[in-house]
Amino acid sequence: MFRSNSTVEEEELQNAARTKARILFISEGNVCRSVLAEAIMTQMLKDNGLADRVECASRGTRDYNLGEGPEHAAQVVAKEMGLTLRDGTAA
């Protein structure tokens, strides 16, 4: 008969609860699509009480937008949707 150690299982569950899941949104320049996707998911997580359990980020696959903020169109869409784009520049 297989018996489990409930103390070990409890510790594993507690550790899992403390560990954040991570979601990475990727696009070519990280100034429009991935930035908006990150903002949308972040808001959805907040709305569903999961913001403390999941971390979101976005990155670009190309470096030609390094140092730039989100494109104006992304800012307009975010404002229309009531979203907050993270501060910072393309990474």
Side-chain angles (χ1 to χ4, degrees):
M1 176 183 219
F2 177 77
R3 293 187 186 198
S4 64
N5 183 338
S6 62
T7 304
V8 171
E9 288 177 0
E10 269 185 47
E11 287 179 22
E12 288 176 356
L13 286 173
Q14 289 173 355
N15 287 338
R18 284 191 291 263
T19 303
K20 281 189 171 188
R22 294 179 178 167
I23 300 172
L24 179 62
F25 295 96
I26 300 172
S27 67
E28 190 172 1
N30 195 34
V31 291
C32 190
R33 292 168 296 199
S34 55
V35 175
L36 280 171
E38 177 187 356
I40 291 166
M41 180 58 80
T42 298
Q43 187 60 52
M44 290 173 65
L45 292 167
K46 287 178 186 176
D47 292 347
N48 289 284
L50 297 170
D52 60 333
R53 300 191 64 193
V54 181
E55 181 179 306
C56 294
S58 61
R59 296 290 182 268
T61 60
R62 305 280 182 152
D63 63 0
Y64 49 73
N65 291 110
L66 287 177
E68 295 180 21
E71 288 183 356
H72 178 72
Q75 294 175 27
V76 170
V77 170
K79 184 175 181 179
E80 288 174 359
M81 295 179 70
L83 300 171
T84 302
L85 298 179
R86 71 174 156 71
D87 293 331
T89 59

